[in-house]
Amino acid sequence: MKTQVCIIGAGPAGLLLGHLLRAEGIHCVLLERRTPEYVLGRIRAGVLEQITVSLMARLGLDARLKAEGLPHDGFNLADGERLIRIDIAELTGGKHVVVYGQTELTRDLMDAREERGLEVIYEAENVALHDVEGDAPFVTFTKDGAEQRVDARFIAGCDGFHGPSRKAIPASVGMEYEREYPFGWLGILADVPPCNHELIYANHRRGFALASMRSETRSRYYIDVPLTEKLEDWPDERIWDELAIRLGPEAGSHITRGPSFEKSIAPLRSYVFAPMRHGSLLLCGDAAHIVPPTGAKGLNLAASDVHYASEALVGFFRAQDAGGIAAYSDKALARVWKSERFSWSLTKLMHRFPEDGPFERAMQVAELDYIASSRAAQTSIAENYVGLPV
Ligand code: APR
Ligand code: PHB
């Protein structure tokens, strides 16, 4: 088959890019290894920056997001004793984030594919990229045992951290930057009301905790645990006990306990691959970068990548202007690196590292104390959390 853009991966990045290109009359085909159910089963975070909300609005796919999303004007840092509120709206001239399950956003994009004429081939196996350096790349895959081929002018690698696209860029061209963290996040979902109307990121001497939510009746909580921990060592009651301590006396006293219906441990990593374009292959989202979830940047960085990629591709096909394509990697990486820095710095501030001693703990406490007393420090955090300009 022939298309203008072959998109590998139908997670949030691939689906968002596909819808944006279709809306501009650009033909694309998405190749997804898994089933729709599997893609929807991926556990994802729950905070959307303005760029993500605005792309959904531009596509007219934000009805549920507008109805169910929770605009948040602030969030809290906690040091085990008190809450330090970061007043996002006041410090950024009225901006806010929206709390909405990123899985729900993926569902909204998936549900609209037929109505929008977005062609997604699920259970596409053995996807392989060919001739990406030239201007006639192609992708091969097998579907129901039959070998298939897609000829395209461009390939968009939206296949996540473990997909084949990044690996199609020669090692001599690419550069990897990586930091793995010595802990994971144990997360639970429970149908209980949140302990606070805004998110709380806590750095207690026992460790990190995050109180988040999906709605006024569904809570999302995390604590950091050593990577050696097993889920079976963490029955619900032990998690609730730890959350009540780590979130501090005020928030801890408002926790409503209940049975978790989802429980998982996820490792944390910072990772960037450069360049994000090689010949006719553009990388978007987790295919090119990973952030620790501390800053809730994963999906939102994919959204800005997709915004830049769709603008570049529309410019190419509509005005035969290859300038956007040539500039894509530098433009996307400029925002990626700033989000990587924020996510890394908030992770360093809010977690206990095994190698840390009393001095490092004292530095964290002092930095939180400084943030509590400095409008400038809070403004810096607020403008990064709400999302830097695209
Ligand atoms: N062939 C086809 N599809 C593939 C292949 C392959 N070989 N390998 C991976 N994929 C698919 C995966 O099955 C997945 O559906 O690519 C998709 C990649 O989706 P994500 O991993 O969700 O990555 P991305 O779309 O970039 O999401 C960005 O959203 O919710 C957040 O935490 C999430 O940071 C992530 C962000
Ligand atoms: C979530 O609600 O899952 C969530 C919120 C904020 C984060 C990470 C995860 O930083």
Side-chain angles (χ1 to χ4, degrees):
M1 73 189 85
K2 215 166 161 48
T3 188
Q4 290 174 294
V5 182
C6 181
I7 299 173
I8 302 177
L15 289 165
L16 199 49
L17 179 60
H19 276 298
L20 286 168
L21 294 177
R22 284 300 290 137
E24 297 292 336
I26 295 170
H27 191 265
C28 51
V29 174
L30 284 78
L31 303 178
E32 167 55 54
R33 176 170 64 175
R34 304 289 188 175
T35 63
E37 296 71 26
Y38 183 96
V39 175
L40 282 176
R42 281 280 307 276
I43 293 304
R44 302 176 185 276
V47 172
L48 305 184
E49 291 178 1
Q50 209 49 52
I51 177 59
T52 309
V53 174
S54 59
L55 289 177
M56 293 297 281
R58 189 203 304 177
L59 288 167
L61 297 178
D62 61 337
R64 210 157 63 96
L65 173 53
K66 279 193 293 195
E68 299 172 21
L70 303 171
H72 277 210
D73 289 342
F75 72 101
N76 301 272
L77 300 176
D79 60 6
E81 304 301 325
R82 60 178 165 174
L83 293 186
I84 303 163
R85 184 166 187 269
I86 306 296
D87 189 338
I88 296 173
E90 203 272 321
L91 294 164
T92 63
K95 294 179 183 171
H96 61 269
V97 293
V98 176
V99 173
Y100 184 69
Q102 293 172 5
T103 300
E104 298 317 310
L105 182 136
T106 307
R107 189 192 309 280
D108 296 336
L109 292 166
M110 283 171 74
D111 289 350
R113 60 188 196 274
E114 238 167 271
E115 166 218 336
R116 299 293 175 91
L118 190 61
E119 186 179 356
V120 185
I121 299 174
Y122 286 96
E123 299 179 87
E125 296 175 305
N126 309 311
V127 168
L129 294 79
H130 307 272
D131 295 352
V132 298
E133 283 91 352
D135 58 8
F138 63 97
V139 179
T140 55
F141 67 99
T142 49
K143 171 73 177 169
D144 303 329
E147 179 82 12
Q148 309 264 355
R149 169 172 165 148
V150 181
D151 288 278
R153 177 62 190 82
F154 290 99
I155 299 172
C158 301
D159 44 346
F161 187 66
H162 301 290
S165 294
R166 186 176 67 248
K167 300 168 187 111
I169 298 179
S172 58
V173 170
M175 178 78 183
E176 292 184 305
Y177 307 79
E178 186 164 19
R179 163 90 198 253
E180 292 189 354
Y181 297 90
F183 38 71
W185 277 18
L186 189 164
I188 60 169
L189 273 170
D191 280 331
V192 294
C195 68
N196 188 292
H197 68 292
E198 293 177 332
L199 274 63
I200 300 172
Y201 296 77
N203 178 346
H204 186 276
R205 57 182 167 68
R206 291 170 66 101
F208 171 83
L210 169 58
S212 182
M213 64 200 73
R214 290 293 174 271
S215 68
E216 271 127 33
T217 58
R218 177 166 290 184
S219 295
R220 177 64 159 159
Y221 286 102
Y222 300 90
I223 55 172
D224 80 316
V225 294
L227 286 169
T228 50
E229 289 294 287
K230 301 271 180 294
L231 274 183
E232 50 266 30
D233 299 331
W234 286 91
D236 284 1
E237 274 323 295
R238 184 183 177 196
I239 299 170
W240 290 122
D241 290 344
E242 201 60 36
L243 284 164
I245 296 167
R246 295 188 187 189
L247 287 168
E250 169 61 22
S253 65
H254 289 93
I255 289 177
T256 304
R257 301 187 179 210
S260 66
F261 62 86
E262 196 282 329
K263 188 186 292 182
S264 54
I265 297 177
L268 276 65
R269 177 201 312 267
S270 295
Y271 176 90
V272 176
F273 182 90
M276 289 177 59
R277 179 185 73 87
H278 180 63
S280 298
L281 169 62
L282 287 75
L283 302 179
C284 299
D286 276 17
H289 43 73
I290 297 284
V291 282
T294 325
K297 294 297 170 198
L299 175 73
N300 297 296
L301 266 185
S304 50
D305 292 348
V306 160
H307 168 69
Y308 297 135
S310 61
E311 282 200 327
L313 290 162
V314 168
F316 178 88
F317 288 113
R318 186 159 300 160
Q320 291 71 52
D321 171 8
I325 297 288
Y328 167 71
S329 180
D330 287 347
K331 198 166 187 179
L333 281 170
R335 194 170 192 270
V336 165
W337 278 118
K338 289 192 275 283
S339 288
E340 289 279 351
R341 183 210 64 81
F342 175 69
S343 303
W344 164 76
S345 66
L346 197 57
T347 301
K348 269 199 326 151
L349 173 62
M350 300 308 290
H351 291 76
R352 311 297 314 283
F353 288 70
E355 68 271 19
D356 283 359
F359 177 80
E360 287 74 18
R361 172 67 183 160
M363 287 298 97
Q364 289 181 332
V365 172
E367 185 167 350
L368 286 166
D369 199 27
Y370 166 62
I371 292 166
S373 62
S374 164
R375 181 182 174 83
Q378 292 179 24
T379 302
S380 171
I381 290 173
E383 68 178 15
N384 277 280
Y385 193 81
V386 77
L388 295 176
V390 172

